[in-house]
Amino acid sequence: MSGICFKVPGKPQGKARARTGYNPRTKQVMSHTPDNTVLYENFIKTCYMQTTDKIFDNGSPLSICIVACFEPVKSTSKKQRELMLWNKIRPTKKPDIDNIVKAVLDALNGVAYKDDTQVVQVMATKKYGDKAFVEVAIFELSTEE
């Protein structure tokens, strides 16, 4: 089972909902992805491409593991911080885990794999750590199982 692991430094972000509105000039309904989401997805792509140039383009099934790590806020007590860093307290706050996964999968479309339909298994977790980051591991699954 071959795989690639890379890290996206900074606070984890989720994929924001596309904004839809009516343009009276063109008389069309238009949708666009918010700028913050576009920037974050481009940052994920850049982090991946700085790690490797491998593309899982043979259509093989993929498994993706995502760890979203949040920094405890500065005002957290020493005892509370310790519990957070030992995973006794987990981040039950925004962004939602499914939106983090969506941001990562969409960002890697056409970069790490042909299409995110190749992803057949996802494992994702939110936790606290000394530094904020998102770590992504992509594994090619054996078709012989």
Side-chain angles (χ1 to χ4, degrees), residues 40-75:
Y40 189 61
E41 287 181 358
N42 286 335
F43 185 50
I44 293 170
K45 285 179 194 176
T46 301
C47 292
Y48 179 83
M49 292 186 298
Q50 287 174 341
T51 303
T52 185
D53 59 356
K54 180 170 175 57
I55 300 174
F56 297 95
D57 59 356
N58 61 357
S60 61
L62 301 175
S63 174
I64 296 192
C65 182
I66 300 168
V67 176
C69 193
F70 296 84
E71 244 180 284
V73 292
K74 302 287 183 219
S75 60

Side-chain angles (χ1 to χ4, degrees), residues 17-145:
R17 217 177 280 284
R19 304 291 175 224
T20 304
Y22 179 73
N23 185 336
R25 222 180 31 187
T26 61
K27 295 183 171 50
Q28 291 182 322
V29 175
M30 308 285 287
S31 287
H32 82 281
T33 304
D35 292 343
N36 283 350
T37 297
V38 173
L39 289 171
Y40 189 61
E41 287 181 358
N42 286 335
F43 185 50
I44 293 170
K45 285 179 194 176
T46 301
C47 292
Y48 179 83
M49 292 186 298
Q50 287 174 341
T51 303
T52 185
D53 59 356
K54 180 170 175 57
I55 300 174
F56 297 95
D57 59 356
N58 61 357
S60 61
L62 301 175
S63 174
I64 296 192
C65 182
I66 300 168
V67 176
C69 193
F70 296 84
E71 244 180 284
V73 292
K74 302 287 183 219
S75 60
T76 306
S77 71
K78 201 172 187 178
K79 184 177 181 176
Q80 196 82 340
R81 180 180 175 82
E82 197 174 292
L83 291 171
M84 290 171 155
L85 297 179
W86 282 94
N87 285 328
K88 302 291 183 199
I89 298 174
R90 302 295 286 261
T92 54
K93 60 181 190 169
K94 297 259 184 203
D96 299 350
I97 192 97
D98 59 321
N99 291 329
I100 295 169
V101 169
K102 185 81 174 130
V104 170
L105 294 183
D106 287 354
L108 296 176
N109 237 346
V111 176
Y113 37 77
K114 251 196 281 193
D115 190 80
D116 57 4
T117 56
Q118 283 177 255
V119 179
V120 298
Q121 178 176 301
V122 175
M123 293 178 359
T125 189
K126 288 169 41 174
K127 68 177 198 166
Y128 285 107
D130 285 328
K131 295 267 185 235
F133 62 86
V134 173
E135 191 171 58
V136 181
I138 305 170
F139 298 97
E140 198 166 5
L141 294 173
S142 169
T143 54
E144 297 164 10
E145 294 173 12

